[in-house]
Amino acid sequence: MASRESNDDIKPQQFDYFLVLDFEATCSRDEKPDPQEIIEFPVLKVNSRTLETESIFHQYVQPRVHPELTGFCVELTGIIQDMVDGQPHIEDVLKSFHAWMIENGLIDGSTSSVFVTCGDWDLKTMLPSQCQFFNLPMQSYFRQWINIKKPFAEAMGVYPKGMMPMLKMLGVKHQGRHHSGIDDCKNIANILCGLLRRGHVFKVTGTNQ
Ligand code: AMP
Ligand code: MG
Ligand code: MG
């Protein structure tokens, strides 16, 4: 058997690329803001054969309805007011993201890809509710994803509570700041790579129709 660092046990996958996504959003200690709005939109394009991150989309987003971040939100995410002030609103970020998808050959049919998230919240709840609230079209590529907790449970035999327990069980060191979207993406990608190196074959786990 190959070592944990080796790519020898990686099996052919249904997808050429995994798009690891982790939104951060407005929040407060007690009640959830209504509407909750995305403030950080990071995506890593991970090659399913080489496990290399080939491209990164990363944009902070200015919230419209509650433009002032709460102290709780700043403390949780490490995103300070200056990082969202003057940034584009969600409709423009969705346009830039679509342009990134095009530039990266992810929607012309030349490659196949799927989003990977930790939990179902990002693509089942957060993005659809924000698109609905602001009456924005949601691209069809957002309608299916892999919740990494499910393949983790299949491969490791335990349904994990979150990202931190998954890293611990895989013996992978946590990188950066927990609840920073871009750092969370890097850690989720490390979990994904850990499972790929253990020979796991990934399937879609969630859809929104
Ligand atoms: P995460 O990807 O786990 O960093 O969380 C995504 C978003 O969920 C955060 O940006 C917050 O809006 C919300 N969230 C996560 N953890 C908490 C928490 N303990 N209390 C309130 N909101 C949270
Ligand atoms: Mg998350
Ligand atoms: Mg996060």
Side-chain angles (χ1 to χ4, degrees), residues 22-28 36 72 76-77 121 178-180 184:
D22 186 76
F23 296 138
E24 299 306 324
T26 51
C27 53
S28 57
Q36 198 171 18
F72 175 83
L76 181 80
T77 62
W121 173 80
H178 190 195
H179 301 301
S180 146
D184 286 352

Side-chain angles (χ1 to χ4, degrees), residues 128-156:
S129 68
Q130 188 156 7
C131 286
Q132 197 170 23
F133 186 88
F134 290 108
N135 202 18
L136 302 170
M138 198 175 81
Q139 295 289 341
S140 58
Y141 46 72
F142 287 122
R143 294 185 195 278
Q144 61 166 26
W145 64 90
I146 294 169
N147 169 1
I148 192 113
K149 291 180 186 176
K150 293 188 179 174
F152 182 95
E154 269 179 41
M156 306 295 286

Side-chain angles (χ1 to χ4, degrees), residues 32-132:
K32 229 186 346 184
D34 186 15
Q36 198 171 18
E37 295 173 86
I38 293 170
I39 55 174
E40 185 180 1
F41 195 130
V43 181
L44 308 182
K45 179 192 180 195
V46 179
N47 185 309
S48 68
R49 250 176 341 97
T50 66
L51 310 196
E52 293 290 318
T53 295
E54 293 184 4
S55 181
I56 298 176
F57 178 85
H58 187 208
Q59 182 64 59
Y60 291 100
V61 189
Q62 184 167 20
R64 242 186 227 289
V65 180
H66 301 105
E68 292 290 322
L69 302 183
T70 63
F72 175 83
C73 185
V74 170
E75 210 171 292
L76 181 80
T77 62
I79 301 169
I80 63 168
Q81 192 63 43
D82 272 1
M83 289 157 78
V84 294
D85 282 348
Q87 295 297 322
H89 291 295
I90 189 67
E91 60 273 24
D92 290 327
V93 175
L94 286 168
K95 284 182 194 149
S96 318
F97 181 71
H98 190 69
W100 181 86
M101 290 286 285
I102 293 170
E103 270 164 41
N104 277 278
L106 293 165
I107 51 178
D108 58 10
S110 62
T111 62
S112 55
S113 58
V114 66
F115 288 100
V116 176
T117 53
C118 181
D120 290 315
W121 173 80
D122 300 80
L123 293 178
K124 196 182 180 71
T125 307
M126 187 58 243
L127 187 63
S129 68
Q130 188 156 7
C131 286
Q132 197 170 23

